[in-house]
Amino acid sequence: MFIVLLKYAAPLEQIDYALPDHRAWVEKQYERGLFLASGRQVSRTGGVIITRPMPRGKLEALLATDPWAEQKLVKYEICEFEATRTAPELVKLNEAVLQH
């Protein structure tokens, strides 16, 4: 699984202007079953995306299609982890635990 931290690299006015396109892109990733959770950081300096497991290269290619990335409005920090424990509500989503 991955946690992706988005850090705004442009003024909020530019971020907000491109927000509808970014939201449509995020929605598409949920429809494809790739994203598990997402949202703004409370400080409004960026955002967070939690993804399903996938090859890192696939995730990097996917992030490159984000309208914010295409316009160079954000930078990404990608943290890969293997969830060895999850709350009961998330067990079905935790493919790492299901494989063991």
Side-chain angles (χ1 to χ4, degrees):
M1 299 175 85
F2 294 93
I3 296 174
V4 181
L5 299 177
L6 292 75
K7 181 157 180 112
Y8 298 149
L12 286 178
E13 296 79 26
Q14 288 179 271
I15 297 295
D16 288 340
Y17 183 78
L19 186 57
D21 292 336
H22 170 74
R23 283 186 176 156
W25 175 82
V26 168
E27 182 60 32
K28 183 176 179 181
Q29 308 325 310
Y30 277 104
E31 290 169 2
R32 295 174 64 200
L34 300 176
F35 287 1
L36 299 175
S38 62
R40 290 182 183 166
Q41 292 183 32
V42 173
S43 60
R44 190 97 202 274
T45 57
V48 177
I49 300 169
I50 301 175
T51 75
R52 287 189 179 277
M54 67 181 81
R56 186 180 181 108
K58 178 179 178 176
L59 174 61
E60 290 171 346
L62 177 65
L63 294 173
T65 67
D66 178 355
W68 279 353
E70 293 173 336
Q71 297 174 50
K72 300 188 181 348
L73 301 177
V74 296
K75 295 183 182 201
Y76 301 102
E77 180 182 341
I78 300 171
C79 175
E80 184 173 8
F81 76 103
E82 184 176 304
T84 55
R85 292 188 64 177
T86 35
E89 302 83 26
L90 300 178
V91 168
K92 290 181 182 178
L93 301 175
N94 189 347
E95 295 160 12
V97 171
L98 293 174
Q99 293 174 3
H100 289 73

